[in-house]
Coordinates of all heavy atoms in Angstrom, one line a residue:
K290 N 176.9 24.5 34.9 CA 178.2 24.3 35.7 C 178.1 23.1 36.5 O 179.0 22.2 36.6 CB 178.5 25.5 36.5 CG 179.9 25.6 37.2 CD 180.2 26.9 37.8 CE 179.4 27.1 39.0 NZ 179.8 28.4 39.8
E291 N 176.9 22.9 37.2 CA 176.6 21.7 38.0 C 176.7 20.4 37.2 O 177.1 19.4 37.7 CB 175.3 21.8 38.7 CG 175.3 22.8 39.9 CD 173.8 23.1 40.4 OE1 172.9 22.3 40.0 OE2 173.7 24.1 41.1
R292 N 176.2 20.5 36.0 CA 176.2 19.3 35.1 C 177.5 19.0 34.4 O 177.6 18.1 33.6 CB 175.1 19.4 34.1 CG 173.7 19.5 34.8 CD 172.6 19.4 33.7 NE 171.3 19.6 34.4 CZ 170.1 19.4 33.8 NH1 170.1 19.1 32.5 NH2 169.0 19.6 34.4
G293 N 178.5 19.9 34.7 CA 179.8 19.7 34.2 C 180.0 19.9 32.7 O 180.9 19.3 32.1
V294 N 179.1 20.7 32.0 CA 179.3 20.8 30.6 C 180.0 22.1 30.2 O 180.1 22.4 29.0 CB 177.9 20.7 29.9 CG1 177.3 19.4 30.1 CG2 176.9 21.8 30.4
L295 N 180.4 22.9 31.2 CA 181.1 24.2 30.9 C 182.6 24.1 31.0 O 183.3 25.2 30.9 CB 180.5 25.3 31.8 CG 179.1 25.7 31.5 CD1 178.7 26.8 32.5 CD2 178.9 26.2 30.1
K296 N 183.1 23.0 31.3 CA 184.6 22.8 31.7 C 185.5 23.5 30.6 O 185.4 23.1 29.4 CB 184.9 21.3 31.8 CG 185.7 21.0 33.0 CD 185.9 19.6 33.2 CE 186.6 19.3 34.5 NZ 186.8 17.9 34.8
D297 N 186.3 24.5 31.1 CA 187.2 25.1 30.2 C 186.6 25.8 29.0 O 187.3 26.1 28.0 CB 188.3 24.2 29.7 CG 189.0 23.5 30.9 OD1 189.3 24.2 31.9 OD2 189.4 22.3 30.8
K298 N 185.3 26.1 29.0 CA 184.7 26.7 27.9 C 184.3 28.2 28.3 O 183.8 28.4 29.4 CB 183.4 26.0 27.5 CG 183.7 24.6 26.9 CD 182.4 23.9 26.6 CE 182.7 22.5 26.0 NZ 181.5 21.7 25.7
P299 N 184.6 29.1 27.4 CA 184.3 30.5 27.8 C 182.8 30.8 27.9 O 182.0 30.2 27.1 CB 184.9 31.4 26.7 CG 185.0 30.4 25.5 CD 185.2 29.0 26.1
V300 N 182.3 31.6 28.8 CA 180.9 32.0 29.0 C 180.8 33.5 28.9 O 181.5 34.2 29.6 CB 180.4 31.5 30.3 CG1 178.9 32.0 30.5 CG2 180.4 30.0 30.5
Y301 N 180.0 34.0 27.9 CA 179.9 35.4 27.7 C 178.4 35.9 28.0 O 177.5 35.1 27.7 CB 180.2 35.8 26.3 CG 181.6 35.3 25.8 CD1 181.7 34.3 24.9 CD2 182.7 35.9 26.3 CE1 183.0 33.9 24.5 CE2 184.0 35.5 25.9 CZ 184.1 34.5 25.0 OH 185.3 34.0 24.6
R302 N 178.3 37.1 28.5 CA 177.0 37.7 28.7 C 176.9 38.8 27.6 O 177.7 39.7 27.6 CB 176.8 38.3 30.1 CG 175.6 39.1 30.3 CD 174.3 38.2 30.5 NE 173.2 39.0 30.9 CZ 172.1 39.2 30.1 NH1 172.0 38.7 28.9 NH2 171.1 39.9 30.6
V303 N 175.9 38.7 26.8 CA 175.7 39.7 25.7 C 174.3 40.4 25.9 O 173.3 39.8 26.3 CB 175.8 39.1 24.3 CG1 177.2 38.6 24.0 CG2 174.8 38.0 24.1
V304 N 174.4 41.7 25.8 CA 173.2 42.5 26.1 C 172.9 43.4 24.9 O 173.7 44.1 24.3 CB 173.4 43.4 27.3 CG1 172.3 44.4 27.6 CG2 173.6 42.5 28.5
F305 N 171.6 43.5 24.5 CA 171.1 44.4 23.5 C 169.7 44.9 23.8 O 169.0 44.2 24.5 CB 171.1 43.7 22.1 CG 170.6 42.3 22.1 CD1 169.3 42.0 22.1 CD2 171.5 41.3 22.2 CE1 168.8 40.7 22.1 CE2 171.1 39.9 22.3 CZ 169.7 39.7 22.2
H306 N 169.4 46.1 23.3 CA 168.1 46.7 23.6 C 167.1 46.7 22.4 O 166.0 47.2 22.5 CB 168.2 48.1 24.2 CG 168.9 48.1 25.5 ND1 170.3 48.2 25.6 CD2 168.5 48.0 26.8 CE1 170.7 48.1 26.9 NE2 169.6 48.0 27.6
E307 N 167.6 46.1 21.3 CA 166.8 46.0 20.2 C 167.3 44.8 19.4 O 168.5 44.4 19.4 CB 166.7 47.2 19.3 CG 168.1 47.6 18.8 CD 168.0 48.9 17.9 OE1 167.9 50.0 18.5 OE2 168.2 48.8 16.7
I308 N 166.4 44.1 18.7 CA 166.8 42.9 17.9 C 167.0 43.3 16.5 O 166.1 43.1 15.6 CB 165.8 41.7 18.2 CG1 165.8 41.4 19.7 CG2 166.3 40.5 17.4 CD1 164.8 40.3 20.0
T309 N 168.1 43.9 16.2 CA 168.5 44.3 14.8 C 169.8 43.7 14.5 O 170.6 43.4 15.4 CB 168.5 45.8 14.7 OG1 169.4 46.4 15.6 CG2 167.1 46.5 14.9
K310 N 170.2 43.7 13.2 CA 171.5 43.1 12.8 C 172.6 43.8 13.5 O 173.5 43.2 14.1 CB 171.6 43.1 11.3 CG 172.8 42.4 10.8 CD 172.9 42.4 9.3 CE 174.1 41.7 8.7 NZ 174.1 41.6 7.3
R311 N 172.6 45.1 13.5 CA 173.7 45.9 14.0 C 173.8 45.7 15.5 O 174.9 45.5 16.1 CB 173.4 47.4 13.8 CG 174.5 48.4 14.3 CD 174.0 49.8 14.3 NE 172.7 50.0 15.0 CZ 172.7 50.1 16.3 NH1 173.8 50.0 17.1 NH2 171.5 50.3 16.9
A312 N 172.6 45.7 16.2 CA 172.7 45.6 17.7 C 173.2 44.2 18.1 O 173.9 44.1 19.1 CB 171.3 45.8 18.3
I313 N 172.7 43.1 17.4 CA 173.1 41.8 17.8 C 174.6 41.6 17.5 O 175.3 41.0 18.4 CB 172.3 40.7 16.9 CG1 170.8 40.9 17.2 CG2 172.7 39.3 17.2 CD1 170.3 40.8 18.6
Q314 N 175.0 42.0 16.3 CA 176.5 41.8 16.0 C 177.4 42.6 16.9 O 178.4 42.1 17.4 CB 176.7 42.1 14.5 CG 176.0 41.1 13.6 CD 176.2 41.4 12.1 OE1 176.7 42.4 11.8 NE2 175.8 40.4 11.3
E315 N 177.0 43.8 17.3 CA 177.7 44.6 18.2 C 177.8 44.0 19.6 O 178.8 44.0 20.2 CB 177.1 46.0 18.3 CG 178.0 47.1 18.7 CD 177.4 48.5 18.6 OE1 177.3 49.0 17.4 OE2 177.0 49.0 19.6
A316 N 176.7 43.4 20.0 CA 176.6 42.7 21.4 C 177.6 41.5 21.4 O 178.3 41.3 22.4 CB 175.2 42.3 21.7
I317 N 177.6 40.7 20.3 CA 178.4 39.5 20.2 C 179.9 39.9 20.2 O 180.7 39.3 20.8 CB 178.1 38.7 19.0 CG1 176.6 38.1 19.1 CG2 179.1 37.6 18.8 CD1 176.4 37.0 20.1
E318 N 180.2 41.0 19.6 CA 181.6 41.5 19.5 C 182.1 42.1 20.8 O 183.3 42.2 21.0 CB 181.7 42.5 18.4 CG 181.7 41.9 17.0 CD 181.5 43.0 15.9 OE1 181.7 44.2 16.2 OE2 181.1 42.6 14.8
H319 N 181.1 42.6 21.6 CA 181.5 43.3 22.9 C 180.8 42.6 24.1 O 180.0 43.2 24.7 CB 181.2 44.8 22.8 CG 181.9 45.5 21.7 ND1 181.3 45.7 20.5 CD2 183.2 46.0 21.6 CE1 182.2 46.3 19.7 NE2 183.3 46.5 20.4
P320 N 181.1 41.3 24.4 CA 180.4 40.7 25.5 C 181.0 41.2 26.8 O 182.0 41.8 26.9 CB 180.8 39.2 25.3 CG 182.1 39.2 24.6 CD 182.1 40.4 23.7
R321 N 180.3 40.8 27.9 CA 180.8 41.1 29.3 C 180.6 39.9 30.1 O 180.1 38.9 29.7 CB 180.0 42.3 29.8 CG 178.5 42.2 30.0 CD 178.0 43.3 30.9 NE 176.5 43.3 31.0 CZ 175.8 42.5 31.7 NH1 176.3 41.6 32.5 NH2 174.4 42.7 31.8
E322 N 180.9 40.0 31.4 CA 180.7 38.9 32.3 C 179.3 39.1 32.9 O 178.7 40.1 32.9 CB 181.8 38.9 33.4 CG 183.2 38.6 32.9 CD 184.2 38.6 34.1 OE1 183.8 39.0 35.2 OE2 185.3 38.2 33.8
L323 N 178.8 38.0 33.5 CA 177.6 38.1 34.3 C 177.7 39.1 35.4 O 178.7 39.2 36.1 CB 177.2 36.7 34.9 CG 176.5 35.7 34.0 CD1 176.5 34.4 34.6 CD2 175.0 36.2 33.8
S324 N 176.7 40.0 35.5 CA 176.7 41.0 36.6 C 176.1 40.4 37.9 O 174.9 40.2 38.0 CB 175.9 42.2 36.2 OG 175.7 43.1 37.3
M325 N 176.9 40.1 38.9 CA 176.4 39.5 40.1 C 175.6 40.6 40.9 O 174.8 40.2 41.7 CB 177.6 38.9 40.9 CG 178.1 37.6 40.4 SD 176.8 36.4 40.0 CE 176.0 36.1 41.5
D326 N 175.9 41.8 40.6 CA 175.1 42.9 41.3 C 173.6 42.8 40.9 O 172.7 42.9 41.7 CB 175.7 44.3 40.9 CG 177.0 44.5 41.6 OD1 177.3 44.0 42.6 OD2 177.8 45.3 41.0
L327 N 173.4 42.7 39.5 CA 172.0 42.5 39.0 C 171.4 41.2 39.5 O 170.2 41.2 39.9 CB 172.0 42.6 37.5 CG 172.2 43.9 36.8 CD1 172.4 43.7 35.3 CD2 171.1 44.9 37.1
V328 N 172.2 40.2 39.5 CA 171.7 38.9 40.0 C 171.3 38.9 41.5 O 170.2 38.5 41.9 CB 172.8 37.7 39.8 CG1 172.3 36.4 40.5 CG2 173.0 37.5 38.3
N329 N 172.2 39.5 42.3 CA 171.9 39.6 43.7 C 170.7 40.5 44.0 O 169.9 40.3 44.9 CB 173.1 40.2 44.5 CG 174.2 39.1 44.5 OD1 173.9 37.9 44.4 ND2 175.4 39.5 44.7
A330 N 170.5 41.6 43.2 CA 169.3 42.4 43.3 C 168.0 41.6 43.0 O 167.0 41.8 43.8 CB 169.4 43.6 42.4
Q331 N 168.1 40.7 42.0 CA 167.0 39.9 41.7 C 166.7 38.9 42.8 O 165.6 38.6 43.2 CB 167.2 39.2 40.4 CG 166.0 38.3 39.9 CD 164.7 39.1 39.8 OE1 164.7 40.3 39.6 NE2 163.6 38.4 40.0
Q332 N 167.8 38.3 43.3 CA 167.7 37.3 44.4 C 167.1 38.0 45.7 O 166.3 37.4 46.3 CB 169.1 36.7 44.8 CG 169.6 35.7 43.7 CD 170.6 34.8 44.3 OE1 170.3 33.6 44.6 NE2 171.9 35.3 44.5
A333 N 167.6 39.2 46.0 CA 167.0 39.9 47.1 C 165.5 40.2 47.0 O 164.7 40.0 47.9 CB 167.8 41.2 47.3

């Protein structure tokens, strides 16, 4: 964001608990936003 390369481009957070075809494709199809709660817990 600071380097200005995300302008008007969508950003998705994808999560999976195993690296299999089904899990990866399902994660890409159902992305979410970054969780600031998890980020803040890590920052704390």
Side-chain angles (χ1 to χ4, degrees):
K290 192 168 72 172
E291 283 168 18
R292 296 189 184 186
V294 295
L295 291 180
K296 226 172 186 179
D297 302 323
K298 295 177 182 178
V300 177
Y301 305 110
R302 173 76 170 114
V303 293
V304 174
F305 41 83
H306 294 89
E307 58 182 74
I308 302 177
T309 59
K310 186 176 182 178
R311 180 192 58 77
I313 301 302
Q314 291 179 351
E315 204 172 283
I317 295 288
E318 286 166 19
H319 301 95
R321 62 166 172 81
E322 293 181 354
L323 275 165
S324 167
M325 286 314 296
D326 291 331
L327 285 174
V328 171
N329 289 338
Q331 181 57 26
Q332 286 202 102

